[in-house]
Amino acid sequence: MSYYGEKGKFSFRDNFCEETEKAGIGELADFGELLGKIFRRIAVGTERESLRAELYTLAGGIARGGCDVFMMNDTVPVFRYGIRSAECDCGVYLCGDEKLRMIFFDSFGINMPSVIMEKIYSASPEGNRSESGRISVLSHIRELYINSLRDIVSDKFKGNAVISCGNRRISDMWRIFFSSDKGDVIFQVSEDGSRVNCYGTDFGFIAYERLVLAYALSLWEKGECVVLPEGFHYAGEELAKKINARCIYQNVSNHAEICKQRFTFDSLFLCIGLLNCGKSISDMVKKLPEFYTARREIATDFSMRSPERTIRTPEGKIKLSRSGKNRLTLIVQTMNMETSAELCGKWERLILERNEK
């Protein structure tokens, strides 16, 4: 997780910025104007009524900067799809409970590349455009999103699955395709709809990363080259080598291909696809190797020269990244659960010992 620093009352990380202290209406409008000078067409959205005032303030600032604004009051998956439909070159989604968080997406609805986030972070408010942008409200994107998913459903599709999600708008959308109150499969969907875990009576618990790799395997069996998310477990790369398949990792140049494959950032698409291939999830998962990931957030004064660092060892892969002011994220990937936990504990101790010196 990259951390760029603080600017005004916002802390910039990966593809989002978050309040460090309460930002006033004027400050939020000024931030919108800054964005309006960088991009030409921006989608903004939220599903929270409590953030409508901030949404309209941000939209007004963006338009004042000379950029056309398209407002979408819907869930994250629908919003990401709407960015592409409205042909925007940036999407900003408002969320957060105690602190306002603005999540950034690119023109494909994929997490904003770090090079663009750095540009936003370092941008100067100077310069004006001759005309203000227009503000439009898009209210039909949910229907377009659902229809795009209906288009992939075939006669092989088996929608006998139970949906568990605390967000009613997300769960209602999933139940259009998975309408069973009883079933051998339970999909546990995150509040924002971006991740999903699976439970089954015959195979137990399957984490999100394993579902992603199972779908990737189905594409490899068709002879396709798969684009895996940046930082995905190296087990995906090892599996591709084992079956003589092709895979590459996400970068700023292949977002069009990621958007085409879609399964790595659209969890509903992922699950429809898994139950649409004529095979059971358990049969697909049995073909996967065992792999594990351990993650820790560490408060430390230890300073890294670069935003992130990856270390390969015989036991596994260690990734360190600046994730905030005086904070590091430690991610350990291995092929064994015990090794993952031990290696994570070892590196956490090394960092804390370095911090004490």
Side-chain angles (χ1 to χ4, degrees), residues 194-256:
S194 63
R195 296 175 66 89
V196 58
N197 296 321
C198 181
Y199 297 86
T201 55
D202 61 337
F203 53 75
F205 172 77
I206 301 176
Y208 173 67
E209 275 193 319
R210 295 187 69 79
L211 293 176
V212 170
L213 190 54
Y215 192 95
L217 179 59
S218 71
L219 295 182
W220 281 326
E221 290 176 343
K222 296 176 184 177
E224 295 189 31
C225 177
V226 172
V227 185
L228 293 174
E230 181 184 6
F232 193 80
H233 199 290
Y234 68 89
E237 185 178 349
E238 295 293 327
L239 179 60
K241 290 178 181 178
K242 182 178 179 181
I243 62 176
N244 196 28
R246 297 174 298 153
C247 78
I248 57 177
Y249 287 99
Q250 176 180 332
N251 60 62
V252 70
S253 67
N254 58 24
H255 282 200

Side-chain angles (χ1 to χ4, degrees), residues 289-335:
E290 293 294 323
F291 61 95
Y292 299 88
T293 301
R295 180 189 180 103
R296 303 275 177 86
E297 288 286 335
I298 305 171
T300 176
D301 294 329
F302 173 61
S303 178
M304 291 175 57
R305 294 181 180 178
S306 57
E308 52 186 49
R309 182 184 177 191
T310 300
I311 304 164
R312 295 296 294 262
T313 73
E315 296 89 359
K317 182 177 177 181
I318 298 96
K319 182 178 179 180
L320 293 169
S321 58
R322 292 201 302 258
S323 56
K325 192 174 182 179
N326 300 325
R327 189 168 71 241
L328 290 178
T329 297
L330 167 64
I331 299 175
V332 175
Q333 298 176 350
T334 70
M335 309 300 279

